């Protein structure tokens, strides 16, 4: 059997570990495995690489993706999808394993609709895929944020300041919420709840009264302009407020052990599902174990919001 594999969309730490598992398990089981460079774009460019055991040597601990990735515009057109399917067929790729987030899953679904067998593995730091609990890269990004929170807290305490730390996540507040809980943030501002200006202000004022020397506010990107919010909070509380925008450092770095283990398990499982049948499948951790979902159904599951976790943060951050 011939299996194609690509990484797509925003890179996430652990993509390499997933790729390594796919390649190694495929070879172990006697299949041919073809790496497609730069995401779906590599299909159009016919940028294929026959993978052997050593093509994935020494990568389990590396961030980024050795295959490269992209957000392919061509995959958004009907013509592009048909062309991609035709090329994959010419290359004899029976199953395509796609490692990426929701945009990548949509690309995979479009290919599946025109006859390609596809299996997707969830990899995104945002953890915004509703059908599963822990996408590859999410917990590594949380650790990266925690490292920054610790450092910002040091300087915040030294100068008795408030600090807004803006994190990624798009429409999903998981990065801010999980890092907020683990990092002891005073407030998180996430899309699922929105900005409660009075609440954030009152936390700072209460902390100030108790002699607290730091106030850490984690803000999901694209909610409110961080610098404007800092100015408003400073005016309302009299506490100097600074901004740190973490940006792309959240996407890189050494994947945590847990991300590497999850990625390895997902990669191995994907290969084991490649058989005679056409697949249209998304894999992911749900209720603590790997489960397979119909790809279309998985994409339709709305991400649920862990209100209880948010409430805990509110209570323990007084
Ligand atoms: O989806 C992952 C992510 O890092 C988001 O958190 C962020 O909004 C986006 O990608 C940035 O995308 P780009 O790399 O295209 O700027």
């Amino acid at each position: 059997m011939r299996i194609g594999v690509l990484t797509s969309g925003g890179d996430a730490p652990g993509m390499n570990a997933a790729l390594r598992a796919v390649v190694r398990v495929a070879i172990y089981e006697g299949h041919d495995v073809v790496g497609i460079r730069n995401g779906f774009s590599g299909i159009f460019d016919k940028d294929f690489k026959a993978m052997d055991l050593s093509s994935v040597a020494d990568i389990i601990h590396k961030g980024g993706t050795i295959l490269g990735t992209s957000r392919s515009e061509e995959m958004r057109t009907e013509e592009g999808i048909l062309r991609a399917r035709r090329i994959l067929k010419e290359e004899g790729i029976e199953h395509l394993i796609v490692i990426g987030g929701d945009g990548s899953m949509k690309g995979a679904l479009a290919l599946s609709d025109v006859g390609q067998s596809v299996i997707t593995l969830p990899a995104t730091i945002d953890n915004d895929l509703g059908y599963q609990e822990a996408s590859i890269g999410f917990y590594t990004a949380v650790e990266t944020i925690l490292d920054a929170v610790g450092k910002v807290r040091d300087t915040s305490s030294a100068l008795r300041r408030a600090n807004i730390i803006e994190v990624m996540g798009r429409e999903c507040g998981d990065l801010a919420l999980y890092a907020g809980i683990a990092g002891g943030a005073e407030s998180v501002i996430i899309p699922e709840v929105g900005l409660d200006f009075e609440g954030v202000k009152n936390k700072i004022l209460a902390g100030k009264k108790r002699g607290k020397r730091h106030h850490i506010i984690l803000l999901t990107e694209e909610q409110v302009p961080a610098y404007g919010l800092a100015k408003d909070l400073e005016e309302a509380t009299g506490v100097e407020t600074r901004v740190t925008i973490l940006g792309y450092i959240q996407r890189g770095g050494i994947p945590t052990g847990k991300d590497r283990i999850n990625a390895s398990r997902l990669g191995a499982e994907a290969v084991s599902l490649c058989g005679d049948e056409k697949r249209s499948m998304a894999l992911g951790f749900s209720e603590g174990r790997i489960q397979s979902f119909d790809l279309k159904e998985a994409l339709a599951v709305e991400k649920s919001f862990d209100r209880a976790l948010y409430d805990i943060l509110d209570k323990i951050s007084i």
Side-chain angles (χ1 to χ4, degrees), residues 10-11 71 102 124-126 128 168-170 175 221-222 248 251:
D11 53 307
R71 302 193 196 275
D102 63 339
T124 163
I125 64 163
D126 297 344
D128 57 350
M168 282 184 165
R170 280 196 173 133
L175 283 172
E221 63 182 353
E222 295 173 18
Y248 290 94
R251 285 240 294 259

Side-chain angles (χ1 to χ4, degrees), residues 181 186-187 203 309-318:
I181 289 270
E186 275 71 21
S187 304
K203 277 252 167 86
L309 197 59
Y310 181 83
D311 290 342
I312 289 173
L313 185 136
D314 208 35
K315 288 175 195 160
I316 63 181
S317 64
I318 302 170

Side-chain angles (χ1 to χ4, degrees), residues 198-225:
E198 286 302 301
V200 178
K201 180 188 97 178
N202 290 336
K203 277 252 167 86
I204 295 175
L205 288 174
K208 186 181 170 187
K209 209 167 157 197
R210 278 178 42 223
K212 246 188 175 183
R213 298 186 65 95
H214 58 75
H215 311 271
I216 300 290
I217 300 146
L218 287 183
L219 166 68
T220 304
E221 63 182 353
E222 295 173 18
Q223 300 305 297
V224 288

Side-chain angles (χ1 to χ4, degrees), residues 259-281:
D259 268 330
R260 295 184 212 182
I261 293 164
N262 286 352
S264 301
R265 289 177 63 190
L266 287 162
E269 182 71 9
V271 174
S272 76
L273 289 164
C274 294
D276 294 338
E277 262 177 76
K278 173 185 175 287
R279 300 290 190 190
S280 182
M281 200 177 256

